Amino acid sequence: MHVLLGVEGSEESRRALENTVDRATEAGDELTVAVFALRDQSVDAVEEYVRERLADVPLTWSIERVESDHPASSLVELAEAGPYEQLAIGGGQQSPMGKIELGTTTEFVLLNARVSVRLER
Amino acid sequence: MTGADESVEPFPRPPRTVDDDDGRIVELVSADIDDLESIVAMYAAFDPADRAQGIPPSEPPKIRSWLSDLLAKGLNVLAIHDGEVVGHAVLMPDADDGWELAIFVTQRYQGAGIGTALLETLLGYGVENDVESVWLTVERWNRPAIALYESVGFESTDAESFEMGMALDLSSIEVE
């Protein structure tokens, strides 16, 4: 399976990347990471982080840059236009109480993507 | 809505005793780590349909570690009837001098005013402990919960996602 994983600069995204890499390596999936930035993050920094992380991983992987005012919709567009069977994304952060808080990107993807969506938790 | 120059009703502090709407005598007390197992028991029997935003956890070992964290770091108030914990309200500190609030009432005891009593008592306990900024998130479709929070002064801060944010500033409020 060819998975597209959306990654920005948060801890939630970093965890999603780790889990997705583990799963893809085990399953022999192909992985494309769509790097994007939220708030004051930088796409360059996110891309650099992902490249370094994937450098020695025994996986077929590639990176797509998403530079847009509304990364969530660009991510969905990318997923639908490309050869991907699944769009994966971080499944939320935890509040001090342990409540799941979904980000607006994840909510948009859940409601709008016409491909299968996986929340990484 | 209360203005800045109107008197603000104080919140009651624990311990106190109330009669719920079904005539049951309910004690509202502050809790600490010694109460862990009695609270685990309430959550172990909790209706899974009442889970909100991923809490409470469903398995006892996870309930226990989640609760230990809440009891160690937060301000906790329990509602007790006939020696059993039937409700739990907690304020947990965040990284910015704010406190997150959550309330759970076991199904058999819902709809009888215990949530309201827990909320008011927890806020009184918070005021007593110099808590100023309280916030919470609630599922947008949970009208009874939203109405409850509005009744003590919470206002909506973020209504753009599945979870609605609400906040309350306690700094001008006294304790009874």
Side-chain angles (χ1 to χ4, degrees):
Chain A
M1 182 164 67
H2 191 168
V3 175
L4 178 71
L5 170 70
V7 169
E8 34 82 20
S10 72
E11 181 54 39
E12 177 190 339
S13 269
R14 276 193 282 279
R15 272 197 316 268
L17 179 61
E18 291 306 313
N19 292 341
T20 304
V21 165
D22 287 345
R23 195 190 310 261
T25 315
E26 224 179 279
D29 287 340
E30 194 181 330
L31 176 64
T32 299
V33 180
V35 294
F36 63 101
L38 295 178
R39 295 172 292 275
D40 52 1
Q41 298 167 359
S42 115
V43 182
D44 288 339
V46 180
E47 180 177 351
E48 195 183 313
Y49 175 85
V50 174
R51 282 196 186 281
E52 259 173 77
R53 178 60 192 85
L54 293 179
D56 298 315
V57 174
L59 199 57
T60 306
W61 61 268
S62 58
I63 290 186
E64 290 279 349
R65 284 174 69 98
V66 173
E67 295 177 270
S68 145
D69 288 337
H70 194 256
S73 53
S74 305
L75 186 58
V76 168
E77 245 185 353
L78 179 63
E80 290 171 1
Y84 311 108
E85 279 103 358
Q86 191 181 80
L87 172 55
I89 192 143
Q93 299 192 318
Q94 283 197 19
S95 75
M97 195 77 64
K99 283 190 174 183
I100 295 170
E101 292 173 330
L102 293 181
T104 49
T105 306
T106 300
E107 285 186 8
F108 186 94
V109 164
L110 265 182
L111 290 173
N112 289 287
R114 289 184 177 273
V115 295
S116 290
V117 175
R118 181 171 87 222
L119 298 188
E120 280 293 351
R121 286 202 176 135
Chain B
M1 293 287 118
T2 56
D5 54 353
E6 287 177 88
S7 66
V8 185
E9 214 174 285
F11 290 114
R13 60 182 179 177
R16 56 191 286 250
T17 303
V18 297
D19 287 351
D20 78 0
D21 295 348
D22 294 340
R24 292 172 291 208
I25 296 171
V26 177
E27 291 165 49
L28 297 153
V29 300
S30 58
D32 61 32
I33 197 70
D34 295 332
D35 300 294
L36 178 65
E37 287 310 316
S38 58
I39 315 175
V40 170
M42 175 182 108
Y43 286 115
F46 209 73
D47 186 348
D50 283 345
R51 176 186 278 204
Q53 299 167 260
I55 55 172
S58 47
E59 293 302 303
K62 292 216 159 102
I63 294 171
R64 199 167 274 113
S65 61
W66 172 69
L67 270 178
S68 299
D69 197 41
L70 300 187
L71 290 166
K73 296 185 188 144
L75 297 169
N76 295 257
V77 171
L78 304 178
I80 299 178
H81 176 245
D82 271 355
E84 221 186 291
V85 177
V86 301
H88 173 215
V90 51
L91 285 165
M92 275 294 270
D94 68 18
D96 283 314
D97 279 336
W99 295 72
E100 183 188 7
L101 182 145
I103 303 180
F104 300 90
V105 177
T106 205
Q107 219 195 11
R108 269 179 305 127
Y109 288 79
Q110 289 174 13
I114 293 176
T116 307
L118 266 174
L119 177 59
E120 292 172 342
T121 311
L122 178 68
L123 291 174
Y125 192 40
V127 172
E128 215 184 2
N129 284 276
D130 298 318
V131 166
E132 291 190 348
S133 162
V134 181
W135 60 274
L136 58 92
T137 58
V138 57
E139 292 157 331
R140 270 150 107 7
W141 49 84
N142 193 344
R143 283 170 214 244
I146 293 169
L148 171 62
Y149 299 130
E150 284 176 340
S151 76
V152 297
F154 277 91
E155 292 178 349
S156 163
T157 55
D158 173 8
E160 285 185 10
S161 52
F162 292 154
E163 305 107 12
M164 188 168 140
M166 300 182 84
L168 175 63
D169 180 0
L170 290 180
S171 55
S172 56
I173 295 184
E174 296 162 5
V175 169
E176 247 172 25

